[in-house]
Amino acid sequence: MQLKELSERTGVSPASIKFYLREGLLPAGRSVHATRAEYSEQHVSRLELIQALRRVVGLNIAQIGSLLRMADDGVPRLELLAAVQRTVLGLNEVSTAQGDLRTPGGDAVVRTRNWPDVPSDARNSLNAHLARMESLGVRVPGDLLDAYSQAVDAIAAVDISATTAPDDVNELIMTAAVGMHLHGQLVLKLLALAQASHAIRRYEEHA
Protein backbone atom coordinates (compact mmCIF):
# COMPACT_ATOMS: atom_id res chain seq x y z
CA MET A 1 0.00 0.00 0.00
CA GLN A 2 1.09 3.59 -0.54
CA LEU A 3 1.30 6.40 2.00
CA LYS A 4 -2.26 7.59 1.39
CA GLU A 5 -3.74 4.13 1.98
CA LEU A 6 -1.55 3.61 5.06
CA SER A 7 -2.90 6.88 6.42
CA GLU A 8 -6.49 5.87 5.71
CA ARG A 9 -6.02 2.40 7.26
CA THR A 10 -4.56 3.74 10.50
CA GLY A 11 -6.14 7.17 10.86
CA VAL A 12 -2.67 8.70 11.13
CA SER A 13 -2.06 11.76 8.98
CA PRO A 14 0.53 11.60 6.17
CA ALA A 15 2.47 14.36 7.92
CA SER A 16 2.64 12.32 11.15
CA ILE A 17 3.68 9.20 9.25
CA LYS A 18 6.51 11.13 7.59
CA PHE A 19 7.56 12.45 11.01
CA TYR A 20 7.67 8.93 12.45
CA LEU A 21 9.73 7.82 9.45
CA ARG A 22 12.22 10.66 9.99
CA GLU A 23 12.45 9.92 13.72
CA GLY A 24 13.07 6.22 13.09
CA LEU A 25 9.93 5.10 14.90
CA LEU A 26 8.59 3.64 11.68
CA PRO A 27 10.81 1.59 9.32
CA ALA A 28 11.18 2.85 5.77
CA GLY A 29 8.86 1.40 3.16
CA ARG A 30 10.01 -0.56 0.11
CA SER A 31 11.17 1.93 -2.50
CA VAL A 32 9.35 1.58 -5.83
CA HIS A 33 10.19 5.01 -7.22
CA ALA A 34 12.41 7.95 -6.37
CA THR A 35 9.52 9.60 -4.53
CA ARG A 36 7.30 6.62 -3.75
CA ALA A 37 7.40 3.69 -1.35
CA GLU A 38 5.16 0.77 -0.50
CA TYR A 39 4.14 -0.12 3.03
CA SER A 40 3.07 -3.42 4.59
CA GLU A 41 0.91 -4.75 7.41
CA GLN A 42 3.93 -4.37 9.69
CA HIS A 43 3.74 -0.63 9.16
CA VAL A 44 0.05 -0.72 10.07
CA SER A 45 0.88 -2.66 13.23
CA ARG A 46 3.69 -0.29 14.18
CA LEU A 47 1.54 2.80 13.67
CA GLU A 48 -1.24 1.32 15.79
CA LEU A 49 1.34 0.65 18.51
CA ILE A 50 2.71 4.20 18.37
CA GLN A 51 -0.79 5.66 18.62
CA ALA A 52 -1.68 3.44 21.58
CA LEU A 53 1.53 4.33 23.42
CA ARG A 54 0.85 8.01 22.89
CA ARG A 55 -2.91 8.25 23.41
CA VAL A 56 -3.66 5.45 25.88
CA VAL A 57 -0.45 5.12 27.90
CA GLY A 58 0.63 8.75 27.54
CA LEU A 59 4.25 8.20 26.54
CA ASN A 60 6.19 10.90 24.69
CA ILE A 61 8.05 10.47 21.42
CA ALA A 62 11.43 9.99 23.11
CA GLN A 63 10.07 7.23 25.36
CA ILE A 64 8.36 5.49 22.46
CA GLY A 65 11.48 5.76 20.32
CA SER A 66 13.62 4.19 23.03
CA LEU A 67 11.31 1.17 23.34
CA LEU A 68 10.96 0.70 19.60
CA ARG A 69 14.71 0.87 19.03
CA MET A 70 15.19 -1.88 21.61
CA ALA A 71 12.55 -3.96 19.84
CA ASP A 72 14.11 -3.40 16.41
CA ASP A 73 17.54 -4.26 17.79
CA GLY A 74 16.19 -7.64 18.88
CA VAL A 75 16.91 -7.39 22.60
CA PRO A 76 15.79 -10.41 24.69
CA ARG A 77 12.10 -10.37 25.62
CA LEU A 78 12.75 -10.19 29.34
CA GLU A 79 14.91 -7.10 28.84
CA LEU A 80 12.28 -5.53 26.58
CA LEU A 81 9.47 -6.22 29.06
CA ALA A 82 11.59 -4.72 31.85
CA ALA A 83 12.08 -1.58 29.76
CA VAL A 84 8.34 -1.36 29.05
CA GLN A 85 7.59 -1.72 32.77
CA ARG A 86 10.24 0.85 33.72
CA THR A 87 8.85 3.37 31.22
CA VAL A 88 5.12 2.82 31.68
CA LEU A 89 5.20 2.69 35.49
CA GLY A 90 7.81 5.44 35.89
CA LEU A 91 10.31 3.21 37.66
CA ASN A 92 13.18 5.14 36.08
CA GLU A 93 12.36 7.99 38.47
CA VAL A 94 14.58 6.14 40.94
CA SER A 95 18.11 7.25 40.09
CA THR A 96 20.38 4.45 38.94
CA ALA A 97 23.17 6.32 40.72
CA GLN A 98 21.63 5.10 43.97
CA GLY A 99 22.63 1.56 43.00
CA ASP A 100 20.99 -1.54 44.44
CA LEU A 101 18.64 -0.21 47.11
CA ARG A 102 17.77 -2.42 50.07
CA THR A 103 15.24 -2.17 52.89
CA PRO A 104 14.24 -4.77 55.50
CA GLY A 105 10.65 -4.63 54.27
CA GLY A 106 11.59 -5.13 50.64
CA ASP A 107 13.89 -8.04 51.47
CA ALA A 108 11.17 -9.61 53.63
CA VAL A 109 8.63 -9.43 50.79
CA VAL A 110 11.02 -11.11 48.37
CA ARG A 111 11.67 -13.93 50.83
CA THR A 112 8.03 -14.41 51.80
CA ARG A 113 6.73 -14.50 48.24
CA ASN A 114 9.72 -16.54 47.02
CA TRP A 115 10.46 -13.98 44.30
CA PRO A 116 13.93 -14.08 42.66
CA ASP A 117 16.42 -12.28 44.91
CA VAL A 118 17.94 -10.13 42.14
CA PRO A 119 18.34 -6.36 41.65
CA SER A 120 15.80 -4.69 39.37
CA ASP A 121 14.23 -1.31 38.70
CA ALA A 122 10.99 -2.58 40.25
CA ARG A 123 12.74 -3.67 43.44
CA ASN A 124 14.69 -0.41 43.70
CA SER A 125 11.46 1.52 43.21
CA LEU A 126 9.71 -0.43 45.98
CA ASN A 127 12.62 0.03 48.37
CA ALA A 128 12.82 3.75 47.61
CA HIS A 129 9.10 4.07 48.34
CA LEU A 130 9.38 2.12 51.59
CA ALA A 131 12.30 4.30 52.66
CA ARG A 132 10.31 7.44 51.87
CA MET A 133 7.32 6.21 53.88
CA GLU A 134 9.60 5.50 56.84
CA SER A 135 11.18 8.95 56.58
CA LEU A 136 7.68 10.47 56.74
CA GLY A 137 6.79 8.44 59.81
CA VAL A 138 4.32 6.19 57.98
CA ARG A 139 4.59 2.68 59.44
CA VAL A 140 4.49 -0.32 57.10
CA PRO A 141 4.12 -3.38 59.36
CA GLY A 142 5.01 -6.84 58.10
CA ASP A 143 1.41 -8.09 58.03
CA LEU A 144 0.42 -5.21 55.76
CA LEU A 145 3.26 -5.94 53.34
CA ASP A 146 2.36 -9.62 53.42
CA ALA A 147 -1.29 -8.95 52.59
CA TYR A 148 -0.47 -6.49 49.81
CA SER A 149 2.23 -8.65 48.27
CA GLN A 150 0.02 -11.75 48.33
CA ALA A 151 -2.72 -9.89 46.44
CA VAL A 152 -0.43 -8.38 43.79
CA ASP A 153 1.42 -11.67 43.32
CA ALA A 154 -1.81 -13.27 42.12
CA ILE A 155 -2.53 -10.29 39.85
CA ALA A 156 0.99 -10.30 38.39
CA ALA A 157 0.79 -14.01 37.56
CA VAL A 158 -2.30 -13.37 35.44
CA ASP A 159 -0.79 -10.27 33.79
CA ILE A 160 2.50 -11.92 32.81
CA SER A 161 0.81 -15.00 31.37
CA ALA A 162 -1.05 -12.68 29.00
CA THR A 163 1.82 -10.36 28.07
CA THR A 164 4.42 -12.99 27.17
CA ALA A 165 2.21 -14.84 24.67
CA PRO A 166 2.45 -12.74 21.45
CA ASP A 167 5.17 -13.66 18.95
CA ASP A 168 5.04 -10.31 17.12
CA VAL A 169 7.18 -7.74 18.93
CA ASN A 170 4.74 -4.89 18.19
CA GLU A 171 1.92 -6.92 19.71
CA LEU A 172 4.12 -7.81 22.68
CA ILE A 173 4.83 -4.16 23.47
CA MET A 174 1.19 -3.22 22.86
CA THR A 175 -0.11 -5.93 25.18
CA ALA A 176 2.49 -5.24 27.87
CA ALA A 177 2.38 -1.43 27.84
CA VAL A 178 -1.36 -0.96 27.49
CA GLY A 179 -2.00 -3.86 29.86
CA MET A 180 0.34 -2.55 32.55
CA HIS A 181 -1.17 0.92 32.31
CA LEU A 182 -4.84 -0.08 32.27
CA HIS A 183 -4.50 -3.02 34.66
CA GLY A 184 -2.59 -0.82 37.10
CA GLN A 185 -5.38 1.77 36.94
CA LEU A 186 -7.95 -1.01 37.38
CA VAL A 187 -6.23 -2.23 40.55
CA LEU A 188 -6.20 1.32 41.96
CA LYS A 189 -9.91 1.79 41.15
CA LEU A 190 -10.81 -1.56 42.72
CA LEU A 191 -8.77 -0.67 45.80
CA ALA A 192 -10.55 2.69 46.04
CA LEU A 193 -13.95 0.97 45.83
CA ALA A 194 -12.94 -1.64 48.41
CA GLN A 195 -11.69 1.05 50.80
CA ALA A 196 -14.88 3.05 50.36
CA SER A 197 -17.00 -0.07 50.93
CA HIS A 198 -15.17 -1.01 54.14
CA ALA A 199 -15.46 2.56 55.39
CA ILE A 200 -19.21 2.64 54.67
CA ARG A 201 -19.77 -0.64 56.51
CA ARG A 202 -17.71 0.46 59.52
CA TYR A 203 -19.42 3.83 59.94
CA GLU A 204 -22.90 2.38 59.31
CA GLU A 205 -22.30 -0.16 62.09
CA HIS A 206 -21.44 2.65 64.50
CA ALA A 207 -24.18 4.99 63.34
Side-chain angles (χ1 to χ4, degrees):
M1 73 188 83
Q2 296 181 9
L3 183 65
K4 181 181 178 181
E5 184 180 352
L6 180 62
S7 174
E8 292 171 350
R9 282 276 306 275
T10 60
V12 181
S13 70
S16 293
I17 293 174
K18 291 177 181 177
F19 172 74
Y20 296 147
L21 287 166
R22 288 196 303 272
E23 293 296 311
L25 275 66
L26 190 66
R30 185 177 67 87
S31 180
V32 294
H33 188 271
T35 59
R36 184 176 299 173
E38 284 189 347
Y39 302 93
S40 67
E41 292 299 321
Q42 277 296 104
H43 291 89
V44 174
S45 175
R46 176 57 64 88
L47 282 172
E48 290 173 345
L49 172 60
I50 293 170
Q51 293 301 93
L53 293 177
R54 289 190 66 193
R55 296 177 178 177
V56 179
V57 184
L59 301 187
N60 59 42
I61 292 298
Q63 291 171 318
I64 296 171
S66 177
L67 292 177
L68 296 184
R69 279 190 293 275
M70 291 183 69
D72 292 339
D73 289 342
V75 301
R77 284 191 166 212
L78 186 59
E79 185 178 340
L80 181 58
L81 284 171
V84 171
Q85 183 189 56
R86 180 170 60 249
T87 304
V88 172
L89 301 184
L91 303 184
N92 51 359
E93 294 174 4
V94 179
S95 173
T96 54
Q98 293 177 274
D100 180 18
L101 301 177
R102 293 274 183 170
T103 62
D107 288 347
V109 164
V110 169
R111 288 193 303 270
T112 302
R113 299 272 74 86
N114 197 29
W115 290 337
D117 188 5
V118 296
S120 68
D121 293 315
R123 188 166 180 176
N124 279 349
S125 183
L126 170 64
N127 283 321
H129 189 70
L130 289 172
R132 183 167 186 265
M133 292 178 74
E134 183 179 352
S135 71
L136 294 172
V138 180
R139 289 187 63 253
V140 186
D143 57 347
L144 183 146
L145 273 177
D146 181 55
Y148 271 52
S149 63
Q150 185 176 13
V152 297
D153 188 51
I155 295 170
V158 175
D159 285 350
I160 292 299
S161 66
T163 58
T164 55
D167 292 326
D168 178 74
V169 71
N170 289 330
E171 187 181 351
L172 175 66
I173 297 175
M174 174 83 81
T175 305
V178 174
M180 285 178 190
H181 175 71
L182 294 181
H183 289 171
Q185 292 297 311
L186 175 61
V187 170
L188 290 176
K189 301 302 185 291
L190 286 169
L191 178 59
L193 178 57
Q195 290 169 338
S197 299
H198 279 275
I200 291 168
R201 286 175 180 169
R202 173 175 294 185
Y203 286 104
E204 282 182 344
E205 289 174 356
H206 293 83

